[in-house]
Amino acid sequence: KVHRTERYLGNGKSGFAERTAIDFSVHNKSPYLSSNKLLNLLSMFVDEKKRELITLMINGYSYKQTCAYIYGDTIFLTIIGLIIGVITGMGLGNLVIGAFESSAVYLPHNPNLLAILIGCGVTILLVLGMTLISLKKIKDFKLTEINNSSI
């Protein structure tokens, strides 16, 4: 007779291998999905700012100065997002750990500074890479498109 958990997880080693493969595929898809989402958001941001960027270019701003304007907005919003995210994550982490901690098991309540720094670093690298990709659209802007842009 096959035990119920063996039917779903396999027997011993194969079940572990299956779960490891699932974890591996999920963790490999997360960076792709987050970078895809971030790229879409930054592309929408550039599209929404199209009229403003064309106005800057008409007034004599160079391509580099126009890109610097977008970089300034992106850097400011990323820093604000990281600060709010870290504070919220630390608060929710303590709340969740406190809710699920039993008297027999002690879980650490202190935030892991190294994990926070690694998460912030990866986020900054993703934002930087996605911003570089989305800024390629600015080269294709025509100054006559200012009336065709959405307000």
Side-chain angles (χ1 to χ4, degrees):
K1 186 174 180 180
V2 177
H3 193 268
R4 183 179 288 168
T5 56
E6 287 182 12
R7 193 174 341 143
Y8 295 113
L9 299 176
N11 54 357
K13 295 179 184 175
S14 66
F16 177 74
E18 290 167 3
R19 284 179 286 169
T20 305
I22 290 170
D23 289 344
F24 182 73
S25 78
V26 167
H27 290 301
N28 279 343
K29 289 179 184 176
S30 327
Y32 169 74
L33 291 173
S34 63
S35 62
N36 190 16
K37 179 89 164 176
L38 187 60
L39 180 59
N40 286 337
L41 287 172
L42 285 170
S43 292
M44 287 178 5
F45 179 70
V46 170
D47 285 340
E48 287 178 6
K49 295 270 188 185
K50 185 175 183 179
R51 185 177 183 136
E52 197 173 326
L53 296 173
I54 291 174
T55 303
L56 287 174
M57 293 163 70
I58 287 174
N59 288 326
Y61 281 75
S62 68
Y63 171 73
K64 288 183 180 181
Q65 290 171 324
T66 308
C67 288
Y69 174 73
I70 294 292
Y71 271 125
D73 278 356
T74 305
I75 289 169
F76 175 73
L77 292 173
T78 301
I79 289 172
I80 295 297
L82 285 173
I83 291 170
I84 292 172
V86 167
I87 291 170
T88 305
M90 287 177 9
L92 286 175
N94 280 333
L95 190 74
V96 169
I97 288 173
F100 290 107
E101 188 175 45
S102 66
S103 59
V105 178
Y106 175 74
L107 299 171
H109 288 266
N110 296 335
N112 186 346
L113 184 61
L114 180 62
I116 291 171
L117 292 176
I118 290 172
C120 289
V122 169
T123 302
I124 289 170
L125 288 176
L126 270 174
V127 168
L128 184 65
M130 296 304 119
T131 304
L132 287 173
I133 293 170
S134 66
L135 287 180
K136 290 180 181 179
K137 290 176 134 185
I138 295 176
K139 286 184 179 180
D140 298 333
F141 287 172
K142 296 177 183 161
L143 301 181
T144 57
E145 291 179 346
I146 192 164
N147 293 327
N148 299 337
S149 302
S150 59
I151 299 175

